[in-house]
Amino acid sequence: MNTTKYIFVTGGVSSSLGKGIIAASLAKLLQARGYRVTIQKLDPYINVDPGTLNPYEHGECYVTDDGAETDLDLGHYERFLNVTTSQANNVTTGRIYQSVIEKERRGEFLGKTVQVIPHITNEIKERVQLLGDTGDYDIIITEIGGTVGDIESLPYIEAVRQLKWELGDDNVLVIHLTLIPYLKAAGELKTKPTQHSVKTLMESGIKADILVCRTEHHLSDDLRRKLALFCNVQQEDVIESIDASTIYDVPNLMLEEKLDTITLKKLKLSDVTTPDLEQWNNFLERHKNPKNEVHIGLIGKYVELQDSYKSILESFIHAGAENEVKVKVTSIHSEYINKDNIAEKLSGLHGVLVAPGFGERGIEGKIEAVRYARENNLPYLGICLGMQMAVIEYARNILGLEGANSSEMNPETPYPVIDLMDEQKSITNKGGTMRLGAWKCDLKEDSIVGKVYKTKTIEERHRHRYEFNDQYREQLEVAGLKATGINPDTGLVEIIEIPSHPWFVGVQYHPEYKSTVAGPHPLFVAFVAAAFKHSENK
Ligand code: GLN
């Protein structure tokens, strides 16, 4: 018999309450008690995946080992749990419909009229149970994107109702995350919006089992009692989620509020073990008590929206804690960088990271930032587009190949040092067609990366179309830019370094997707260490 338990996290009153962090924190606590847990995100939009979304729309696109382009919440899940996720962990309405329509075309519905209920809801239920059926997990936490009452979420809410009915209250739990706003003029926390959102959920036939209340002020016993009475839960099922200074505090805050014990009790699971959070708390201790500070410039074109570079910023937090330094990241918009202001823009920084990106906008500023870092011995980490910019800069300014570029930015460039692979040339569809997911890379022994990773072969995640053009490799290597990581199957260059520079590394892949609290990424750890060294030598 399948004994997997399912927890659903819904949102009420407002978006951006941090369902992903609550889900990840609960998962952390359950994992710390020895349960095998994974998290899934259901997104009610019609894109098949977020891969085609502009970062301004939805923040960063997070890539898994199996090459799924997913919601950034999956990044939180991996960072908190240190467990890898996959395509099955993120499902959108677009994907659900795509799959149902494909089944209809294959004739699988045997002449039936295909409808939201039961066909779409069945597909949703199947996707939820897919992870449970692997037998790899005791508990699946499924976060439902959006806010209850949204037209788009209705089929998901209905699927939850059906699953609860089919599997029973002991096996399915609904946690409703809601907002308790503070009205300054009245000097009071207000429960009415929550009452309404719980009622909306009830209209769809779902009773919230646990209320997690986002609030700027502590909830009094009176207020908890009131919420319990009007929202039809026990008082102990009202959980306070007070604003925290860091997301990494949330598991401990949820522990204090007993979210894990109440969850286990309701799911009839044993709660005799106590959560082992030693490693987590060690990290928090180091994160909160840094001995020094380093300043890193993050050069990108989506810097107005912090979520665009979520995994990079989180990787710096992990690497900072590992080095016992506070990493202060200054975001610098690449469109506003030029030859004349570069020294001023990068002054006071101890390291430069040029971010991933697509399209021409802002690339000349990025190339200028590379040049400055290279000429001033400033530690440099280029990620994906940031690696490509480093190659272009070297070709232009050291090899003297004027107009060298990526054929993405200038298809007519006389020197396409970054170019499309042949396989990519015939592809016209944009969705899901890049080089995606984990690929192997062999490291050169006497290189920075060889020392940093302490292994010969690595696997890192990719998301790009263009590649280092091998025709220029020899020329660049002779001039001092070395290829130090090579894909063993394709021979493609994955990593470049400048050995005459104190710390200059460009990687075609995205190390930031694999940094977690339990496993800070070695490349970020080494980069922060190099930046710290630079700050001391100054
Ligand atoms: N635009 C570049 C490419 O497609 C880099 C992509 C990225 O930085 N993720 O190759």
Side-chain angles (χ1 to χ4, degrees), residues 17 23-24 40 45-46 71 82 112 128 177 180 189 196 223 246 269 283 324 335 382 401 439 458 462 477-478 480 493:
L17 293 181
Q40 179 185 46
Y45 52 72
I46 296 172
D71 186 81
N82 205 31
K112 288 276 183 213
V128 169
L177 175 64
I180 310 291
L189 286 168
H196 279 296
L223 197 117
T246 153
L269 289 170
F283 153 78
E324 296 186 275
E335 258 187 304
L401 304 179
W439 291 77
I458 54 166
H462 291 246
E477 292 216 290
V478 169
V493 172

Side-chain angles (χ1 to χ4, degrees), residues 340-409:
D340 300 329
N341 67 14
I342 184 76
E344 176 208 337
K345 291 244 182 218
L346 302 193
S347 74
L349 295 177
H350 310 128
V352 170
L353 185 149
V354 171
F358 294 85
E360 207 198 339
R361 186 166 67 93
I363 69 147
E364 292 304 325
K366 287 186 171 175
I367 293 171
E368 220 31 72
V370 176
R371 190 179 63 84
Y372 186 87
R374 181 178 57 74
E375 290 180 351
N376 292 281
N377 286 336
L378 207 50
Y380 178 83
L381 178 58
I383 298 185
C384 209
L385 186 69
M387 175 265 203
Q388 300 178 352
M389 294 296 110
V391 174
I392 295 169
E393 192 278 328
Y394 215 80
R396 285 187 191 175
N397 299 329
I398 300 291
L399 292 183
L401 304 179
E402 207 178 313
N405 213 330
S406 160
S407 49
E408 175 184 9
M409 317 305 169

Side-chain angles (χ1 to χ4, degrees), residues 21-22 24-26 28-29 80 211-219 224 236 238-262 275 277 280-281 284 288:
I21 300 297
I22 292 295
S25 299
L26 174 59
K28 182 78 228 168
L29 294 179
F80 273 51
L211 285 184
V212 176
C213 305
R214 267 305 290 275
T215 175
E216 290 170 20
H217 299 272
H218 289 293
L219 306 181
R224 288 180 195 244
E236 63 168 21
V238 177
I239 305 287
E240 171 190 286
S241 169
I242 193 111
D243 287 1
S245 58
T246 153
I247 55 169
Y248 297 106
D249 272 339
V250 181
N252 281 314
L253 291 172
M254 290 304 106
L255 183 68
E256 276 167 35
E257 287 284 305
K258 301 193 171 59
L259 177 60
D260 57 332
T261 346
I262 293 164
L277 290 170
W280 186 270
N281 289 332
L284 266 183
K288 291 188 169 180

Side-chain angles (χ1 to χ4, degrees), residues 75-89:
H76 290 310
Y77 307 161
E78 290 206 6
R79 288 188 282 272
F80 273 51
L81 298 181
N82 205 31
V83 166
T84 54
T85 56
S86 69
Q87 183 63 70
N89 297 73

Side-chain angles (χ1 to χ4, degrees), residues 102-355:
E102 278 167 8
K103 284 181 186 165
E104 186 272 338
R105 292 289 82 183
R106 287 198 297 268
E108 285 184 26
F109 297 119
L110 305 175
K112 288 276 183 213
T113 309
V114 181
Q115 295 178 295
V116 173
I117 298 170
H119 300 98
I120 295 296
T121 44
N122 281 351
E123 184 74 27
I124 296 172
K125 287 194 290 180
E126 257 173 50
R127 299 280 177 148
V128 169
Q129 288 176 291
L130 206 66
L131 285 167
D133 292 344
T134 60
D136 293 340
Y137 307 103
D138 304 311
I139 303 166
I140 315 285
I141 303 184
T142 301
E143 176 194 346
I144 302 198
T147 309
V148 296
D150 294 349
I151 291 176
E152 289 92 337
S153 332
L154 281 175
Y156 293 98
I157 300 291
E158 170 60 12
V160 174
R161 187 195 67 77
Q162 291 183 15
L163 270 178
K164 202 163 165 69
W165 185 84
E166 286 166 13
L167 303 177
D169 286 345
D170 293 352
N171 295 316
V172 177
L173 188 76
V174 176
I175 298 180
H176 189 56
L177 175 64
T178 175
L179 174 71
I180 310 291
Y182 178 75
L183 278 198
K184 215 166 152 196
E188 266 183 64
L189 286 168
K190 290 295 182 188
T191 65
K192 193 72 89 189
T194 295
Q195 294 181 38
H196 279 296
S197 81
V198 168
K199 212 163 149 187
T200 308
L201 206 49
M202 216 96 93
E203 280 166 9
S204 303
I206 295 178
K207 178 192 158 312
D209 297 299
I210 296 175
L211 285 184
V212 176
C213 305
R214 267 305 290 275
T215 175
E216 290 170 20
H217 299 272
H218 289 293
L219 306 181
S220 66
D221 277 349
D222 267 357
L223 197 117
R224 288 180 195 244
R225 208 170 304 126
K226 185 173 169 185
L227 274 166
L229 177 64
F230 292 123
C231 298
N232 210 16
V233 293
Q234 297 302 311
Q235 196 173 325
E236 63 168 21
D237 304 335
V238 177
I239 305 287
E240 171 190 286
S241 169
I242 193 111
D243 287 1
S245 58
T246 153
I247 55 169
Y248 297 106
D249 272 339
V250 181
N252 281 314
L253 291 172
M254 290 304 106
L255 183 68
E256 276 167 35
E257 287 284 305
K258 301 193 171 59
L259 177 60
D260 57 332
T261 346
I262 293 164
T263 297
L264 291 172
K265 194 169 107 191
K266 288 192 189 289
L267 290 173
K268 304 263 182 325
L269 289 170
S270 158
D271 68 350
V272 287
T273 53
T274 46
D276 175 7
L277 290 170
E278 196 186 325
Q279 191 187 37
W280 186 270
N281 289 332
N282 266 336
F283 153 78
L284 266 183
E285 180 70 23
R286 273 176 287 130
H287 170 49
K288 291 188 169 180
N289 301 295
K291 297 197 175 112
N292 292 291
E293 198 173 283
V294 293
H295 296 240
I296 306 275
L298 169 64
I299 323 283
K301 68 170 172 180
Y302 307 111
V303 291
E304 300 91 333
L305 189 74
Q306 288 282 307
D307 272 1
S308 309
Y309 302 115
K310 195 83 206 158
S311 294
I312 292 178
L313 297 174
E314 298 303 319
S315 301
F316 275 129
I317 291 179
H318 310 152
E322 192 67 15
N323 281 290
E324 296 186 275
V325 298
K326 179 170 179 52
V327 181
K328 281 210 145 175
V329 179
T330 309
S331 300
I332 302 170
H333 202 303
S334 51
E335 258 187 304
Y336 308 133
I337 294 179
N338 55 47
K339 262 197 179 57
D340 300 329
N341 67 14
I342 184 76
E344 176 208 337
K345 291 244 182 218
L346 302 193
S347 74
L349 295 177
H350 310 128
V352 170
L353 185 149
V354 171

